[in-house]
Amino acid sequence: MSTLETLPVVGAGPLATAVTAALESRQVQTSATVVVSALDEIDGAEGAVVSLAHWRSLCFVGPRWEPGGRGCPRCLRVRATNPGYGPAPDIKRAKAFGTERGRGLPPWLPRVAAELAVDLAAGADVDPRVWVLDARTGVIDRQALLPDSTCPVCGDDPGHPLPVFNRPGVPFRKLGPAVLRTREIEGDVIGDYLRRGIGLFKEVVDDLDGPLAASSVEQPVRWGAREPAIGRAETYRAARTIAVLEGLERYASLYRGGSPTPVRSSYAELGAAAVDPATLGLHPAESYRTPGSRFAEYSPNTVVDWLPGFSFARNGPVLVPERSVHWGPRDDGEPIFAFETSNGCALGASVEEAALHGLRELAERDSFLLTWYRRLVLPEVEVPDGPFLRKAELTTGCRFRAYLSTMEYQMPSFVLVAECPVGEGPAVVAGSGAHPDPEQALSGGLAELVGAVQYVTYHYAERRERVLGMLTDPDLVTGMTDHAALNCLPEARDRFAFLLDRETDPLPLNEIPSTIRADSPDVRADFATAVANVLACGLDVIVVDQTMPELSRRGLHCVKVVVPGLLPMTFGHHNRRTVGLPRLTGSLPYPGSTNPIQLPHPFP
C-alpha cells in the first residue's frame, strides 16, 4: 500500500499539490494526515494531523497533533487570530492565500512548506511547535504553540475549585522591604507570549513622548474587538514586560479557562452558601429600562452560573456570580445583572501576591468614586519635587495635585488631579493611586495620570463638539473614553471645585501612614495586614482563582478579588453601580455631601 493511500492530503491548491509531490518523491513512512486549509477554515480534527494553514502573507506549518494531546489545529486558529495577522474568529469567508492586496505566491514557499509538513508527518511524536513562514519578508520562524485551555477539542480539565493559600515550603520573600513582588519576570517568559506569528500578543508599540517609557500590547478578544494593555517604567524593556503581564491578567479575567465547572442555580436556592449579588452594587432602576439595555434587573430567583471563591470573613468557600469574576462575552443568553470590568483582577507569582494587588486596585477605584459622588473634603498632600515630576510638568504643562483619600480600611490612597494650561485644550484630568506604601501609591498614580493627560490632550479637539452635549445629558456618556473627555472640558471645571478651590497647606507625604510590613520580608504578611484591615470594617475579602494553564506553566497566578460593599468601577453613565451600597451615604473618614451627586465620574 502506498504512502498516499495511508496518508491522504486533505485540501486543494498549490500548497496541497506541493505536499502531494513531496510525499511521492520522498516515500516516507507517515502516521498523520496533512490538512491544508485557510486559517479561518480550521475547525476540529480527527486522528493524527499536521496542519498546514495560510492567511494573507503568512503560512503556518504545524502543529503535529493527536487526540488526547494539547495544542491542536483549532488552538492555532485562536492564537493566530488578530486583525492584520489573522482572521477574527467569526469570519466564515476564506481568504485565498497569495491574493490579498495583489500579493503573489512566492515560488519558494510551497516547496519549503511542503517539506516541513512532511517532516512533521513522518515524526512519531506530538510536536506542539509551528513553523511560521512570511511570504512578504522571507522570514521563517519556529514558534511554540500555546495551547488554548478553553478549546473544545483539546482544552484542559477544570482547575482547582478554590485558590490555594500558604503553600508549604514555597518562599514568598519580597524583592525589597517595600516591594510587593517576589520574583523578577525573565525575558524568556515574556517571549513565550509575545510573538508576531502565533503569540498571545503579536506586537508591542512604544510611546516615545512621555516622561516614562511606555509600551502597549493588544490582545485580540473573541468578539472582534481588541483589548489593550499598557506598561510604564523607567526603561522600555521593563515597560514591555509590564504590558505583557497586564495583558495576561486581562486574558485570564476575560475567559473561564481552567476554572472549575460552575454551579447553576439561583441565589434564592443557594442562600448562605453564596454572595448576595445585591451587595456587589447594582444599576439604578432606570438603567435597566433603557431601550437596548443588555442588563436584566436582579431577582433572587434568577438562575445564573456561580464559581467558588475563598471568603476570609467566613474562613471558607463561598459562591460568587460567574459574571462578577469573568467579564468576557458569552452567547448563552444568561441574564446579566451588572456591567463588569477587570477591576480587582491581578497577576502575581503567588495567589497571595496577586490578591494583594487586586485588593489594592479595588481600594484605588472605591476611594476615587466615593470622593467624586460624595464630594468629600479631602486634605491636599504635597507632591514631592523630583526628576519625574519635573519631566511630567515639562511634557504636559500641567500642575499636578494630590488629595489623601484613604478610606476606613486603611489602604493608602490618593485622588490625583492635573490642572492643565488655560487655552485651547483640556482643563482638568483626574486619576488615582493606592498602595500600602504611600510613596508608591502617589508615584504610580502620577505615572498613570500623565499618560491620561497625554491621551486626552491628543484627542481633545476631535471629541470636543461631540461631548459638549454630555454636559446637560449625562446619559450620552456611554463609553470609557467619554468620562475623561467630558470632564476635562473647561465648561466642566466647576465639577472639581470641591477639591481644587480649597487652598490649604498640603500635608507632607512622609506624614501619611504606611501599612507596609517592614518587619517581615514575606509578602504574605502584607497581604494578611490588608485583609485584616478590611475585615475590621465589617467587610469581606473574597478571592476567586482565575489562573489558566497558559499562565501556570510559567508559575504565574491570576485572581479576582471581590469586596462586597466597595464601589465598583464601571464605564458609561447608565452602567454606574450605585444601588445597594450603604457607604454612599454612611460614615466615612472625610466630610462631604450626604446624598451622592450623580454626575458621570472623570476616571480616565
Side-chain angles (χ1 to χ4, degrees):
M1 184 176 291
S2 71
T3 299
L4 293 182
E5 289 176 320
T6 59
L7 175 67
V9 178
V10 177
L15 289 172
T17 301
V19 174
T20 300
L23 287 168
E24 289 176 339
S25 64
R26 292 176 57 176
Q27 291 294 306
V28 295
Q29 293 297 317
T30 58
S31 58
T33 302
V34 178
V35 179
V36 182
S37 68
L39 190 63
D40 61 330
E41 293 176 331
I42 292 176
D43 193 7
E46 295 183 4
V49 296
V50 171
S51 175
L52 203 170
H54 49 83
W55 182 263
R56 294 177 179 164
S57 67
L58 296 178
C59 181
F60 307 89
V61 184
R64 189 189 191 284
W65 179 79
E66 296 178 1
R70 297 285 188 260
C72 69
R74 196 177 187 282
C75 294
L76 169 66
R77 171 178 171 165
V78 169
R79 294 297 177 231
T81 294
N82 197 359
Y85 294 97
D90 57 350
I91 289 179
K92 303 300 182 185
R93 184 180 68 258
K95 301 287 187 182
F97 182 63
T99 63
E100 185 73 10
R101 300 179 183 173
R103 297 190 183 114
L105 189 65
W108 63 268
L109 195 145
R111 174 70 181 275
V112 173
E115 293 294 337
L116 294 173
V118 171
D119 285 345
L120 286 175
D125 300 319
V126 169
D127 192 334
R129 293 172 296 177
V130 176
W131 290 101
V132 181
L133 289 68
D134 192 328
R136 181 175 59 86
T137 65
V139 172
I140 301 176
D141 185 26
R142 197 170 200 186
Q143 302 179 13
L145 174 62
L146 183 65
D148 174 20
S149 62
T150 67
C151 179
V153 176
C154 69
D156 290 83
D157 296 329
H160 295 292
L162 286 174
V164 179
F165 296 98
N166 295 317
R167 288 172 292 161
V170 179
F172 290 87
R173 180 174 292 274
K174 295 182 287 187
L175 295 174
V179 180
L180 301 182
R181 297 292 184 185
T182 57
R183 63 180 274 213
E184 295 282 0
I185 303 299
E186 303 86 357
D188 62 331
V189 172
I190 302 306
D192 275 1
Y193 305 105
L194 181 60
R195 289 183 178 272
R196 180 178 184 269
I198 57 173
L200 195 58
F201 314 105
K202 305 297 188 298
E203 59 186 343
V204 62
V205 177
D206 295 325
D207 179 1
L208 306 179
D209 294 331
L212 285 175
S215 301
S216 63
V217 297
E218 285 187 325
Q219 177 206 325
V221 290
R222 298 174 195 179
W223 62 96
R226 307 178 81 174
E227 182 66 27
I230 301 173
R232 294 183 177 88
E234 293 293 333
T235 67
Y236 283 99
R237 179 185 179 89
R240 292 168 183 170
T241 298
I242 294 170
V244 169
L245 293 174
E246 182 175 333
L248 291 173
E249 174 246 287
R250 298 287 174 87
Y251 176 78
S253 62
L254 276 167
Y255 305 118
R256 195 175 68 195
S259 294
T261 302
V263 174
R264 188 110 178 135
S265 188
S266 68
Y267 178 68
E269 295 170 329
L270 295 172
V275 172
D276 183 354
T279 65
L280 303 178
L282 299 173
H283 302 301
E286 62 268 21
S287 294
Y288 292 105
R289 296 164 192 159
T290 302
S293 173
R294 62 189 180 97
F295 303 113
E297 287 194 77
Y298 167 69
S299 166
N301 295 312
T302 304
V303 175
V304 296
D305 283 346
W306 303 75
L307 291 175
F310 183 88
S311 162
F312 281 86
R314 305 179 186 213
N315 194 30
V318 66
L319 291 170
V320 181
E322 188 270 346
R323 288 191 182 273
S324 297
V325 178
H326 295 284
W327 52 287
R330 285 170 56 180
D331 300 321
D332 55 8
E334 180 180 287
I336 308 174
F337 298 144
F339 182 99
E340 192 59 69
T341 68
S342 63
N343 192 33
C345 300
L347 199 73
S350 65
V351 172
E352 290 89 344
E353 180 183 316
L356 176 55
H357 288 277
L359 188 55
R360 182 172 66 85
E361 183 173 82
L362 289 180
E364 173 191 295
R365 311 297 170 80
D366 171 74
S367 64
F368 182 92
L369 292 173
L370 280 173
T371 298
W372 180 256
Y373 287 137
R374 296 191 59 175
R375 297 298 189 264
L376 298 179
V377 180
L378 304 180
E380 188 165 0
V381 177
E382 181 181 2
V383 179
D385 189 23
F388 174 74
L389 180 62
R390 291 194 289 272
K391 288 181 184 178
E393 293 172 339
L394 178 65
T395 55
T396 64
C398 296
R399 177 192 178 192
F400 293 91
R401 301 173 69 177
Y403 300 86
L404 182 65
S405 60
T406 303
M407 292 298 158
E408 70 274 30
Y409 43 81
Q410 299 182 45
M411 177 71 73
S413 305
F414 298 94
V415 170
L416 307 169
V417 177
E419 291 184 288
C420 303
V422 177
E424 304 277 328
V428 179
V429 182
S432 60
H435 194 282
D437 174 26
E439 183 175 342
Q440 293 185 63
L442 183 59
S443 61
L446 283 175
E448 298 288 338
L449 179 57
V450 170
V453 170
Q454 292 178 306
Y455 180 83
V456 168
T457 302
Y458 181 81
H459 293 283
Y460 178 80
E462 68 184 67
R463 292 176 176 170
R464 175 174 166 79
E465 290 303 317
R466 183 177 67 83
V467 301
L468 276 172
M470 300 176 187
L471 286 167
T472 54
D473 187 357
D475 288 342
L476 296 176
V477 178
T478 57
M480 178 184 295
T481 58
D482 291 341
H483 289 271
L486 163 63
N487 289 292
C488 80
L489 294 172
E491 293 87 345
R493 194 269 180 198
D494 286 347
R495 298 182 176 187
F496 295 91
F498 73 101
L499 286 175
L500 300 178
D501 292 351
R502 294 176 55 255
E503 292 287 351
T504 60
D505 292 333
L507 296 172
L509 180 60
N510 59 14
E511 292 185 5
I512 308 302
S514 169
T515 59
I516 283 285
R517 289 289 300 274
D519 62 318
S520 174
D522 196 317
V523 74
R524 286 172 289 196
D526 294 276
F527 176 59
T529 297
V531 170
N533 288 339
V534 174
L535 297 183
C537 301
L539 301 170
D540 192 6
V541 175
I542 302 167
V543 179
V544 185
D545 197 350
Q546 295 178 323
T547 305
M548 300 172 74
E550 288 91 321
L551 276 65
S552 58
R553 66 194 295 271
R554 281 296 192 173
L556 300 173
H557 299 262
C558 190
V559 303
K560 168 79 170 187
V561 182
V562 178
V563 178
L566 297 195
L567 268 70
M569 179 60 68
T570 62
F571 298 99
H573 190 56
H574 267 303
N575 297 330
R576 67 192 183 277
R577 290 165 55 184
T578 54
V579 175
L581 302 175
R583 294 169 66 254
L584 271 172
T585 54
S587 175
L588 289 175
Y590 311 99
S593 59
T594 302
N595 297 315
I597 300 175
Q598 297 294 331
L599 290 174
H601 68 72
F603 197 84

